[in-house]
Structure formats: C-alpha cells, structure tokens
C-alpha cells in the first residue's frame, strides 16, 4: 500500500488553489439521474469518492465522461434501479441515490452505504422522511427495497439537521405532488449548491441555507442540458489554513468563499495567526508562537464549527501555549486521530465528547496511521511541523478527499513524497 513520508520543520510559502467541494459534487451527481438530459458539472476535483460515484452512474445506464475538471452525465436513456452492495460500500454519499432513483423510477434497490467509520451514522431519518412522503421501504440483511406509486408532499420536521437526510428529501420531493416543507433542514453551503443545481434543471426549490426548505414537486423536467459550477471546497481550504498555522510561514489559498471559513479564520487569528480575506482568497501567516483560544471549540451543524475541521485545528492547538478544549457534538468516533497525534508527542486527553490539548513546544516524527479522511489530513499537517521524519499510512482515506495532497504541499515548500507500496 502507498504511504506518505514527510520531513518536518519547513515553513510553508506560496499559494494553493481550492477546487470544487467533494460534498457538493457527490449529491449533485446523484441528482443528475433526475434530469432526463445532460448535466455538465464544472470545477470537480479528481478524487476516489467521485470515481466511485461515476462508476455507479455508469452501472445505472448513464453515459459519463470526465475531462480535466468537468464531468458530463447523460441520463436521457433508461436508468436502472439497482445498485450493488460493493458499489454502495465504497462511499456513504451513495445513499443519495435512494431518493433520486425513487423520484426517477419509482423504485430503488440498494444497500446501506459505507464510508469513513466515524461512529454511529444511521439512515433512520432518511427512511422515515421518504416514507412520510409516500415511499414504501423494506430492509432485509442490509438491503433496502423501496417503491412508490404516488408521492405526496408534506411538512417534515427533522429531529436533527441531517445533511444526508435533507439531500435525500430534496431529491425525492421533486417527484412528489404538492409542496414538501423541510423544517430544521441542514444549512450547509453544499445544500445551497444542490438547490442551485436542481433549479437549473427545472425544479422548484427554495430556502436552502435557512432552516426551512420548500420543494414544489410533481413536475417532470424536459430533456435539457444543465451547466453547473460547483462551489469551492471549504474543508480543503481549511486544511491549507491549518497546515500553515501548524508549520509556520505564509500561504494564500485561492478560489474560496470567505463566509464558510470565517469562524475558522477568527479562531486562528485569536491563536496568533494573521488571517486576511480578500475577494476569493484568504492569506494566512504564522511566524511567532501560538496561543490557545479562550473558549471551548464546539462542533455543530452549520453555521457552527464543522466537525470536519476539528481534527485539522487540533494540530495547531497542540502547539499553542495554554490548553484548548474541543467538544465534539457530531460523531462519537471523531477522535480516532488523537492516539496517533500522541504518538508524535502531543498531549491530548479524551473524555467522552471532550478533548483537552495541552500546549507543547514541538511534535516529533513518527510512523502513524490514518483512520479516516480528515484525521488522516491532520496527521499530514502534524508531520509538517514535527521534528524529523514521519510516515503516514492508510492514505487511501486521505485520497478520498484530496487530490494528491503531497503535490500541493510540495508546491508550498514542504518536504513530502508519496512512496508506492
């Protein structure tokens, strides 16, 4: 298996560009089966998760091409309703095909999805909501058999603002008669991006970005060509920001949207970094020592602090004077990177959903293993500022969300390389 080697101790300098958000591309690809036409999706990163999604689309009968950063999906032909267990296990975002295929075919047969093991992430809310809209869903040995004869819109009050459930409801509701109202909907920028795509495809969706989303369904779109440019990846941008805060130096991250990064920028500024947003770029500079933020860093649904940024921010936090407290409110296995950081000399104690980081002078190189996507990226950030050489294994997790992370870091002056196993 491939692994990454890093010789730490080099400050980062230069600029790096952020491409489209993986978490936008994936549900939009699922939504492309609704259009009965051609979808041209621009600004797509080249990632293993996206490759897995394209494989599902091809298996369903779509014609798919991927050139540079543009993906074209022709879903005008017949679309199958079955997805294999192997394909579903490749990524969690595949669950969005449940709502999309029900809307397109009135039937879907697939399996409970896979993805990073971040703790309990049941799809109960998805199933409850789709059944409220008229679907009949039966589970057997991990397989989902779903059918609908006639879907009808209604008001759905979500117990939590689940991103995946919000997306699935939006997709299925396009084929349901009347109006569907999602109360306590997820507010993430990726939800807004999905709404933009659906409206470009001729559907009627409003309210994304707020707690209430409305879908007027029951209308079939005519075959058409949809051209959509995906929003920037805020988590990739956060990775480069936290890497610079950890290793030191000055880096400009371009192609970003400032608002989803504002909270992280405020925290890094409080910790002693210079952070400047100008148009679609953010410059981060760190030359001196870091200070722990005064308040507890609490993860939560957008616009709260994203759980995906928590492992990344933890790296500069372990180097900051004072103690930083993290409160993880989204996933119960989100601290799987902590034992690996402690192997590198960090002093992090975990109790339930809390993690306490004691400030240390420096990390030291070690051999560590990624257990999930963002935790793996955090280990790479830690290796950049560690004394000596580090080896990061299980990088297949990292490749799910980053385009050759080592190439981007080398452009910023890091001593990092991929070793083919």
């Amino acid at each position: 298996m491939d692994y990454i080697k890093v010789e730490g101790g080099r400050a980062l300098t230069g600029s790096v560009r952020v491409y489209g958000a993986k978490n936008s591309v994936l549900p939009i690809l699922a939504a492309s089966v609704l259009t009965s036409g051609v979808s041209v999706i621009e600004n797509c990163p080249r990632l293993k998760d996206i490759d897995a999604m394209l494989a599902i689309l091809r298996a369903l009968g779509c014609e798919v091409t991927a050139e540079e950063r543009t993906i074209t999906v022709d879903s005008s032909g017949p679309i199958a309703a079955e997805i294999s267990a192997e394909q579903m296990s490749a990524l969690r975002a595949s669950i969005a095909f449940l709502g999309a295929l029900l809307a397109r075919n009135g039937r879907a047969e697939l399996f409970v999805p896979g993805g990073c093991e971040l703790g309990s992430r049941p799809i109960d809310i998805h199933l409850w909501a789709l059944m409220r809209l008229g679907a009949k869903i039966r589970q057997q040995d991990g397989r989902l058999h779903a059918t609908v004869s006639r879907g009808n819109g209604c008001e759905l009050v979500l117990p939590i603002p689940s991103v995946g459930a919000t997306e699935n409801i939006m997709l299925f509701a396009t084929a349901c008669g009347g109006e569907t109202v999602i109360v306590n909907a997820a507010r993430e920028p990726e939800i807004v991006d999905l709404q933009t795509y659906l409206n470009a495809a001729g559907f009627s969706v409003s309210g994304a970005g707020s707690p209430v989303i409305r879908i007027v369904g029951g209308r079939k779109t005519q075959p058409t060509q949809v051209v959509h440019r995906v929003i920037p990846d805020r988590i990739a941008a956060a990775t480069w920001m936290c890497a610079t805060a950890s290793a030191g130096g000055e880096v400009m991250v371009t192609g970003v949207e400032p608002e989803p990064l504002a909270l992280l920028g405020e925290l890094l500024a409080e910790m002693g970094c210079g952070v400047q947003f100008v148009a679609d770029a953010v410059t981060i500079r760190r030359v001196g020592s870091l200070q722990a933020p005064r308040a507890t860093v609490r993860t939560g649904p957008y616009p709260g602090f994203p759980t995906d940024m928590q492992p990344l921010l933890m790296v500069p936090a372990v180097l900051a004077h004072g103690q930083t407290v993290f409160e993880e409110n989204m996933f119960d296995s989100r601290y799987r990177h902590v034992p690996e950081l402690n192997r590198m000399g960090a002093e992090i104690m975990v109790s339930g959903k809390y993690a306490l980081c004691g400030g240390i002078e420096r990390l030291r190189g070690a051999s560590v293993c990624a257990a999930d996507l963002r935790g793996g990226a955090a280990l790479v950030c830690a290796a950049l500022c560690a004394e000596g050489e580090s080896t990061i294994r299980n990088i297949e997790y990292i490749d799910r969300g980053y385009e050759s992370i080592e190439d981007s870091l080398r452009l910023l002056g890091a001593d990092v390389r991929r070793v083919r196993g």
Side-chain angles (χ1 to χ4, degrees):
M1 299 293 288
D2 293 358
Y3 57 94
I4 289 176
K5 275 195 173 293
V6 181
E7 185 68 36
R10 292 192 180 188
L12 304 181
T13 58
S15 65
V16 60
R17 182 166 186 82
V18 171
Y19 293 102
K22 178 192 83 156
N23 292 336
S24 266
V25 177
L26 298 176
I28 287 171
L29 287 174
S32 69
V33 304
L34 300 176
T35 63
S36 298
V38 177
S39 296
V40 180
I41 306 165
E42 301 174 341
N43 197 34
C44 297
R46 295 184 288 261
L47 304 173
K48 285 189 174 181
D49 272 11
I50 290 178
D51 289 342
M53 208 72 167
L54 298 186
I56 293 175
L57 286 170
R58 292 187 178 104
L60 289 173
C62 299
E63 294 184 12
V64 181
T65 60
E67 297 178 358
E68 294 298 321
R69 302 192 180 279
T70 299
I71 295 171
T72 302
V73 181
D74 185 346
S75 60
S76 56
I79 299 298
E82 301 86 18
I83 303 176
S84 71
E86 182 181 5
Q87 289 176 321
M88 287 295 296
S89 67
L91 74 168
R92 183 169 178 79
S94 58
I95 192 61
F97 279 110
L98 178 58
L101 291 176
L102 275 171
R104 173 70 184 253
N105 293 331
R107 185 172 72 90
E109 292 200 16
L110 37 77
F111 291 79
V112 175
C116 287
E117 295 298 328
L118 298 174
S120 177
R121 292 195 286 176
I123 59 170
D124 296 4
I125 299 174
H126 302 236
L127 304 184
W128 163 80
L130 299 187
M131 288 190 287
R132 281 284 312 278
L133 291 170
K136 295 180 180 179
I137 303 174
R138 179 168 55 89
Q139 297 185 66
Q140 183 179 3
D141 299 327
R143 189 182 187 98
L144 300 173
H145 306 262
T147 59
V148 62
S149 55
R150 181 184 177 186
N152 291 298
C154 65
E155 181 177 278
L156 298 166
V157 181
L158 303 188
I160 59 172
S162 164
V163 173
T166 300
E167 292 167 346
N168 245 328
I169 297 166
M170 291 170 70
L171 298 180
F172 181 44
T174 60
C176 295
E179 182 180 69
T180 299
V181 181
I182 311 173
V183 180
N184 197 29
R187 299 168 59 186
E188 274 73 2
E190 294 79 13
I191 298 292
V192 179
D193 206 26
L194 178 59
Q195 172 180 282
T196 302
Y197 169 84
L198 289 172
N199 286 336
F203 298 104
S204 178
V205 185
S206 61
S210 79
V212 179
I213 297 176
R214 300 176 184 274
I215 307 100
V216 178
R219 223 164 24 94
K220 294 291 186 182
T221 58
Q222 297 299 314
T224 185
Q225 177 167 301
V226 184
V227 179
H228 178 79
R229 186 171 181 82
V230 176
I231 62 171
D233 193 325
R234 59 196 171 107
I235 309 301
T239 303
W240 312 132
M241 293 171 70
C242 290
T244 307
S246 303
E250 182 172 343
V251 169
M252 175 183 286
V253 186
T254 63
V256 306
E257 288 186 354
E259 186 175 348
L261 297 170
L263 185 52
L264 175 64
E266 292 171 7
L267 284 166
L268 291 175
E270 183 184 349
M271 294 174 72
C273 297
V275 181
Q276 183 178 20
F277 289 94
V278 177
D280 68 343
V282 56
T283 299
I284 179 164
R285 181 171 182 265
R286 201 272 277 183
V287 293
S289 60
L290 295 168
Q291 301 292 326
R294 291 182 296 273
T296 298
V297 180
R298 294 182 170 90
T299 66
Y302 193 85
F305 189 75
T307 183
D308 280 355
M309 293 185 191
Q310 175 258 106
L312 304 169
L313 184 62
M314 192 172 283
V315 181
V318 302
L319 301 171
H321 294 301
Q323 293 185 323
T324 304
V325 180
F326 288 87
E327 181 182 323
E328 174 55 52
N329 295 303
M330 302 301 292
F331 297 125
D332 54 16
S333 293
R334 195 41 130 169
Y335 289 134
R336 297 175 72 187
H337 56 286
V338 168
E340 304 302 289
L341 288 177
N342 284 344
R343 285 170 59 85
M344 302 178 75
E347 296 179 356
I348 308 169
M349 294 185 296
V350 173
S351 178
K353 65 179 182 178
Y354 295 97
L356 176 65
C357 301
I360 59 170
E361 248 185 72
R362 64 178 61 86
L363 294 169
R364 60 178 180 271
S367 179
V368 293
C369 293
D372 58 68
L373 168 54
R374 304 307 173 184
L379 296 178
V380 175
C381 292
L384 295 173
C385 59
E387 191 175 70
E389 186 179 79
S390 296
T391 300
I392 300 97
R393 301 188 184 275
N394 290 357
I395 62 172
E396 62 272 15
Y397 287 111
I398 300 172
D399 289 340
R400 294 182 57 191
Y402 297 91
E403 254 187 47
S404 301
I405 193 171
E406 69 279 5
D407 291 343
S408 297
L409 290 170
R410 270 201 305 272
L411 289 174
L412 300 177
D415 185 352
V416 53
R417 70 184 190 279
R418 179 181 294 250
V419 181
R420 303 291 177 181

